[in-house]
């Protein structure tokens, strides 16, 4: 049975035209660089686990067009779920054009990639500290999982159902992980793909592995609990390999500087040594 390759991108935090993330990071350039890097691994599918926008910026139409362009370049579907920076229903019909079906929310999708079923969930949480899966989604998911897929299933959602290793992110994941665990018990789910923490990690939800992807925008510095640091080296994604009996995962750094930036401001950002970003204070969510 052919090994499947899943590239997982997360938390691009795209800003409105002409703006840099936190005044220093060209988030669009970083996302494009990550998508170009994905081609090196010949993925069967790309999964983007939320926070497409930064703070609700009106970029989703442009992002959908970018993903459509790279679906053609990569020759595989790009599956997208929303995060807490994405307004409700902003991940709409313009995304996930290869979906087989849709659930109670427009971002609930089912895809099948060479026998591997990927189910997208919407953990919501727009401008809130935690996400949550409502009863409608959980019942929909339970119904889907009654019939196993040929190569099992993956769940994609933004908020991890496990806690972060970083002190300032503890308590900011999924608010009702027990409800999800109950639905997954005894199912064919092989793993849960998440983002949100801006940090690569692996956890377990009552026997189901949880794979937390690093961000393409910036990532947390575990040595600095009161702040987040980002520099040109701060853009990463996850690479997952799945075969009939195992699933492996590794974080991959994105190489920058190989493509000419569109403006001088973006170029200055890429050449900076490090950019210091304030910690998530009250009212600010990652």
């Amino acid at each position: 049975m052919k090994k499947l390759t899943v590239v997982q991108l997360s938390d691009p935090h795209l800003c409105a035209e002409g703006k840099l993330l936190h005044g220093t990071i060209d988030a669009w350039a970083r996302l494009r660089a990550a998508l170009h890097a994905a081609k090196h691994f010949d993925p069967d599918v790309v999964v983007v686990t939320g926070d497409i926008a930064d703070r609700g910026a009106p970029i989703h139409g442009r992002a959908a067009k970018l993903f459509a362009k790279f679906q053609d370049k990569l020759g595989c579907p790009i599956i997208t779920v929303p995060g807490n920076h994405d307004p409700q229903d902003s991940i709409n019909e313009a995304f996930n054009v290869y979906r087989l079906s849709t659930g109670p929310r427009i971002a609930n999708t089912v895809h099948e990639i060479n026998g591997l079923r990927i189910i997208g969930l919407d953990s919501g949480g727009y401008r809130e500290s935690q996400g949550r899966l409502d009863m409608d989604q959980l019942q929909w998911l339970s119904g889907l999982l009654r019939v196993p897929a040929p190569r099992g299933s993956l769940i994609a959602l933004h908020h991890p159902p496990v806690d972060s290793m970083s002190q300032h992110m503890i308590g900011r994941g999924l608010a009702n992980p027990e409800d999800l665990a109950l639905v997954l018990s005894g199912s064919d789910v092989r793993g849960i793909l998440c983002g949100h923490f801006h940090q690569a990690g692996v956890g377990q939800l009552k026997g189901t592995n949880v794979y937390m992807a690093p961000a393409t925008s910036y990532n947390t510095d575990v040595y600095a609990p009161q702040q987040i640091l980002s520099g040109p080296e701060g853009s990463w994604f996850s690479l997952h390999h799945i075969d009939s009996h195992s699933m492996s995962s590794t974080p991959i750094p994105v190489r920058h500087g190989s493509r000419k930036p569109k403006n001088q401001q973006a170029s200055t950002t890429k050449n900076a040594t490090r950019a210091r970003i304030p910690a998530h204070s009250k009212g600010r969510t990652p």
Side-chain angles (χ1 to χ4, degrees):
M1 187 177 289
K2 177 182 178 291
K3 177 177 67 178
L4 296 179
T5 298
V6 179
V7 166
Q8 182 188 359
L9 311 181
S10 200
D11 297 83
H13 284 264
L14 302 174
C15 300
E17 185 76 31
K19 292 189 176 181
L20 297 177
L21 178 61
H22 297 292
T24 61
I25 297 168
D26 188 337
W28 286 95
R30 289 193 170 194
L31 176 59
R32 285 191 294 268
L35 288 165
H36 279 289
K39 189 172 179 62
H40 176 78
F41 300 97
D42 191 22
D44 294 286
V45 63
V46 173
V47 180
V48 187
T49 46
D51 280 357
I52 312 307
D54 185 64
R55 303 189 186 188
I59 54 77
H60 292 88
R62 182 181 170 196
K65 291 177 181 177
L66 179 68
F67 290 160
K69 173 184 174 181
F70 272 93
Q71 281 182 147
D72 292 339
K73 284 180 176 288
L74 296 170
C76 72
I78 295 180
I79 301 172
T80 309
V81 297
N84 55 294
H85 280 250
D86 299 308
Q88 185 174 347
D89 297 334
S90 57
I91 304 302
N92 52 32
E93 297 91 342
F95 297 85
N96 300 311
V97 296
Y98 291 103
R99 73 181 76 196
L100 298 178
S101 62
T102 303
R105 296 193 183 188
I106 190 61
N108 294 148
T109 61
V110 180
H111 295 75
E112 189 166 316
I113 311 298
N114 297 330
L116 175 70
R117 178 171 54 188
I118 302 178
I119 303 171
L121 300 178
D122 182 353
S123 54
Y126 181 53
R127 292 183 174 175
E128 296 177 4
S129 60
Q130 288 184 302
R132 176 176 290 274
L133 294 173
D134 57 32
M135 191 55 63
D136 286 345
Q137 289 189 82
L138 291 168
Q139 289 176 347
W140 172 73
L141 176 61
S142 179
L144 289 173
L145 295 178
R146 289 192 186 105
V147 179
R151 301 183 73 169
S153 299
L154 292 179
I155 302 296
L157 77 161
H158 182 63
H159 294 86
V162 296
D163 247 333
S164 171
M165 296 293 287
S166 297
Q167 283 294 119
H168 69 278
M169 290 296 290
I170 290 176
R172 291 177 177 265
L174 191 69
N176 57 332
E178 299 87 357
D179 294 338
L180 178 60
L182 186 63
V183 172
L184 300 187
S185 178
S187 73
D188 71 342
V189 172
R190 304 184 62 178
I192 303 170
L193 307 185
C194 308
H196 189 53
F197 288 158
H198 290 244
Q199 186 178 75
V202 178
Q204 197 170 80
L205 178 67
K206 293 191 175 180
T208 303
N209 285 340
V210 179
Y211 300 92
M212 293 158 279
T216 63
S217 53
Y218 62 89
N219 287 282
T220 55
D221 182 347
V222 295
Y223 295 104
Q226 299 303 315
Q227 60 192 347
I228 291 174
L229 300 178
S230 181
E233 74 286 1
S235 184
W236 293 69
F237 61 87
S238 286
L239 180 68
H240 310 289
H241 285 147
I242 303 172
D243 60 25
S244 59
H245 61 276
S246 66
M247 177 171 175
S248 60
S249 177
T250 188
I252 303 292
V254 178
R255 293 177 179 176
H256 292 280
S258 59
R259 295 180 63 83
K260 184 178 179 180
K262 288 189 174 182
N263 55 60
Q264 187 60 43
Q265 190 176 27
S267 177
T268 301
T269 302
K270 289 184 179 183
N271 292 330
T273 54
R274 293 190 79 87
R276 191 172 295 265
I277 300 170
H280 301 306
S281 58
K282 185 177 180 180
R284 176 178 290 181
T285 52

